[in-house]
Amino acid sequence: MTIEHLSPGLILIVGAVLVPVLRGHLRSAYMLLLPVLCGWQMLNLEMGEFGTFTAFDYSLVMLRVDKLSLVFGYIFTIAAFLSVFYALHIRDTVQQVAGLSYAGAAICAVFAGDMVSLFVFWELTALTSVFLIWAARSERAYRTGMRYLVIQITSGVLLLSGAILIVGETGSITFSQIGIDSLGGKLILLSFGIKAAFPLLHNWLQDAYPEATVTGTVFLSAFTTKLAIYALARGYPGTEMLIWIGATMAVFPIFYAVIENDLRRVLAYCLNNQLGFMVVGVGIGTDLALNGAVSHAFAGILYKGLLFMTMGAVLYRAGTANGSDLGGLYKSMPWTTTFCIVGAASISGMPLLGGFVTKSMILTAAAEEGHWIAWTVLVFASAGVIYHSAIKVPYLAFFAQDSGKRVQEAPLNMLIAMGITAFLCVAIGVYPDPLYAILPYAVNYVPYTTAHVITMLQLLAFATLGFALLQRYGFYPQELRGINLDTDWIYRRLVPRTVAAFMRSLVQARDELRRWRSSLATYLLARVFHYHGPRGILARTWAISGAALWVMLLLGGYLLVYYL
Amino acid sequence: MANGKDGGKTYWLERPGSADKIWWVLIILCVLLTLADFVYEKHPHYAVEKLVGFYSVAGIVFSIVAVLVALGLRRFLMRKEDYYDDD
């Protein structure tokens, strides 16, 4: 393996090792340099498979370069750079090393050509990313991190089990289209489904992301779930089941997002809803739909990252991200407000911004293939996302009722990172051709038709009107302090409580048995004492006549038995 | 808000009548966008898309439905903030 065939992600992973040695500005510069080097390496890659070596009878492919892996590689590198920039002000070596190696592991995973390498980097993303949660350094973060880690590792174990079954059947460990016919295929789909936050498997996301550090959440939002979208697009394109799963995913988080108070958790639900669009795209599986899914992942990493950055800045300065405690921050954080609005407009599919040119591809593909139910659901989800994410988040944080909080604007490095990300959101929306050029399939898609623009603007304006109507006439739900039950209730409440109740009854049964045993022993001893004790019938001194009578009876008994 | 926090500065958004202005601008925008349906040629995939103002109705109905359903769900789902703290 030569240097030009080195997996670009390794630059970040190996490079992260040197971070603790460096100090001050040198460290900052070095950390920014790593993603740049990684990007440089990626731009110089040729298409094909490299870095192959044989282990036992199987050939591992460390570097498979095709259009699908490249587009994810590019956006992961951009996200790594922006996240590092956003986190430059922190002096926490753990987070810096974890963040860089997490990004590197995700990049290595999209370039992995076989299932074993994929598994290794799949697990490495879990192991590195959990430190971004633990870095919040609280008991709460520790517990959340443990839950996150258990679920992520489970996903990896399922991937490995599925891979072993598939190798047993086909004899090949190449990671390409898998399909759900075999048991191995089903296990791997489940593994990908956990990371992609399929409905009922989703809750690690909303549980963990809002508990990570301010900067950690920005890293987290970019890689894990989008790696899963990549894996689904590679392994299960055109699997019809995914259309239904994706449609469900696009809808149910909306309701949670509406009633959630922690704005970073609102964004986590909203992230889940965006993943739903991508999963539908993979499920439809036509060239247009897959391009839509991939490009939506690309744009989504940017605008979702931007929104998490702005809410991170709010948390950093105001000390809370709860909607009920915020409001009026546009006065003290005008730049952050502006960037948040750009991100919000982008996610809601406003023309001239990133979300518009990518989401409409998925909707068009659904309509063209005649999936009218999925199409209706996605239109509903598009309207829902405008309301719950694009309006609610900026409104509650920066406008709404003035909370009286007067804080400093975000640190300069955060502002620059947000500025670049916002610029990219606009750039993709205004000039989507470079993005379309790197998509896996040839694109023959025109986003800016009059019909597209007008209908999208109608949807936007009227969803905003719906919000304004509720707000003006007092039907708008008040933000309440509290948490909402989700599937994590099962493993945080139901299972522990059930197990605890079972253990309690076991202890009771044991105590009962002990009591029973000791009372039985007491009873037996009492009986023995009764017969053999000093006053017992068998311990008495008997009169001769009495004893002679007993002996006679005994002998008589023998005689009788003898004759019988 | 004349509380001196902002150095006596009153922001446009806080002046009386500003919220009304935003409201009316939004309504005018909505009306214009719906009327625009008469002007351009549509390329619908489904018959419903041919209806004038289909996306307008979808936008307002879907967003209000989402809020109302969520409010209903909140009755069942919401717990105190320290719900999991005693675990």
Side-chain angles (χ1 to χ4, degrees), chain A residues 350-555:
Chain A
M350 173 90 86
L352 297 182
L353 287 163
F356 176 78
V357 299
T358 56
K359 185 157 65 182
S360 57
M361 252 194 257
I362 301 175
L363 277 158
T364 306
E368 273 180 6
E369 298 305 305
H371 296 290
W372 67 272
I373 299 178
W375 178 82
T376 313
V377 169
L378 291 187
V379 172
F380 173 76
S382 303
V385 78
I386 294 170
Y387 170 77
H388 75 68
S389 183
I391 298 175
K392 173 175 173 167
V393 170
Y395 178 75
L396 286 178
F398 301 110
F399 303 100
Q401 198 78 35
D402 194 330
S403 62
K405 285 185 175 21
R406 294 293 178 275
V407 297
Q408 267 187 289
E409 179 58 282
L412 186 64
N413 65 299
M414 282 191 177
L415 287 178
I416 293 175
M418 290 190 267
I420 300 173
T421 318
F423 170 78
L424 289 174
C425 286
V426 178
I428 291 176
V430 174
Y431 186 51
D433 296 3
L435 172 59
Y436 286 176
I438 56 170
L439 292 179
Y441 303 98
V443 182
N444 184 19
Y445 179 72
V446 185
Y448 287 107
T449 64
T450 319
H452 270 154
V453 173
I454 297 278
T455 52
M456 196 60 227
L457 284 176
Q458 285 173 342
L459 203 64
L460 265 164
F462 275 85
T464 315
L465 184 69
F467 164 80
L469 201 68
L470 291 172
Q471 180 74 14
R472 197 175 165 87
Y473 296 105
F475 295 109
Y476 180 72
Q478 207 191 346
E479 281 307 305
L480 297 178
R481 260 176 223 162
I483 57 143
N484 299 301
L485 302 184
D486 200 338
T487 49
D488 58 343
W489 180 80
I490 294 169
Y491 53 82
R492 291 174 76 179
R493 249 315 140 87
L494 183 65
V495 173
R497 290 269 159 116
T498 315
V499 170
F502 182 66
M503 293 311 280
R504 263 200 308 280
S505 57
L506 271 187
V507 169
Q508 270 170 1
R510 186 196 63 192
D511 292 349
E512 194 61 33
L513 260 176
R514 273 190 188 157
R515 255 198 306 284
W516 196 70
R517 195 179 61 193
S518 71
S519 63
L520 184 71
T522 323
Y523 172 78
L524 284 175
L525 278 174
R527 293 324 288 169
V528 169
F529 191 80
H530 181 74
Y531 291 112
H532 297 276
R535 289 157 183 273
I537 194 164
L538 296 174
R540 245 181 258 158
T541 317
W542 291 15
I544 299 282
S545 56
L549 181 69
W550 279 113
V551 169
M552 207 174 73
L553 278 176
L554 232 110
L555 289 174

Side-chain angles (χ1 to χ4, degrees), chain B residues 63-74:
Chain B
S63 61
I64 291 180
V65 164
V67 174
L68 296 181
V69 171
L71 273 182
L73 282 175
R74 179 153 83 174

Side-chain angles (χ1 to χ4, degrees), chain A residues 11 18 38 51 68 129 134 138 222 417 470 486 505 547:
Chain A
I11 296 176
L18 271 182
C38 173
L68 185 60
S129 60
W134 282 339
S138 65
L470 291 172
D486 200 338
S505 57

Side-chain angles (χ1 to χ4, degrees), chain A residues 255 259 330-331 367 372 375 380 387 404 406 455 458 462 472 477-478 482-485 489 492-493, chain B residues 5-6 11 14 20 23 33-34 37 46 55-56 62 67 70-71 74 77-80 83-84 86-87:
Chain A
F255 304 120
I259 54 177
Y330 75 96
K331 296 170 186 172
W372 67 272
W375 178 82
F380 173 76
Y387 170 77
R406 294 293 178 275
T455 52
Q458 285 173 342
F462 275 85
R472 197 175 165 87
Q478 207 191 346
I483 57 143
N484 299 301
L485 302 184
W489 180 80
R492 291 174 76 179
R493 249 315 140 87
Chain B
K5 248 181 199 165
D6 306 314
Y11 287 84
E14 287 179 345
D20 281 338
W23 168 249
L33 279 169
T34 311
D37 266 359
Y46 296 110
Y55 282 92
S56 309
F62 283 169
V67 174
L71 273 182
R74 179 153 83 174
L77 296 176
M78 187 159 252
R79 294 290 183 279
K80 288 202 178 87
Y83 178 75
Y84 287 119
D86 53 348
D87 286 359

Side-chain angles (χ1 to χ4, degrees), chain A residues 46 80 139 228 286 297 325 363 512 520 556:
Chain A
E46 305 150 34
E139 174 70 20
T286 58
D325 304 332
L363 277 158
E512 194 61 33
L520 184 71

Side-chain angles (χ1 to χ4, degrees), chain A residues 207-225:
Chain A
D207 184 22
Y209 283 12
E211 300 299 335
T213 61
V214 164
T215 51
T217 310
V218 174
F219 274 101
L220 285 168
S221 75
F223 302 108
T224 300
T225 52

Side-chain angles (χ1 to χ4, degrees), chain A residues 78 81-83 85-86 302-303 305-307 309-310 313 334-343 353 409-428:
Chain A
I78 294 171
F81 179 81
L82 293 171
S83 307
F85 211 121
Y86 182 78
L302 294 171
Y303 60 67
L306 178 57
L307 285 168
M309 285 182 194
T310 60
W335 284 105
T336 309
T337 310
T338 312
F339 296 138
C340 184
I341 291 172
V342 172
L353 287 163
E409 179 58 282
L412 186 64
N413 65 299
M414 282 191 177
L415 287 178
I416 293 175
M418 290 190 267
I420 300 173
T421 318
F423 170 78
L424 289 174
C425 286
V426 178
I428 291 176

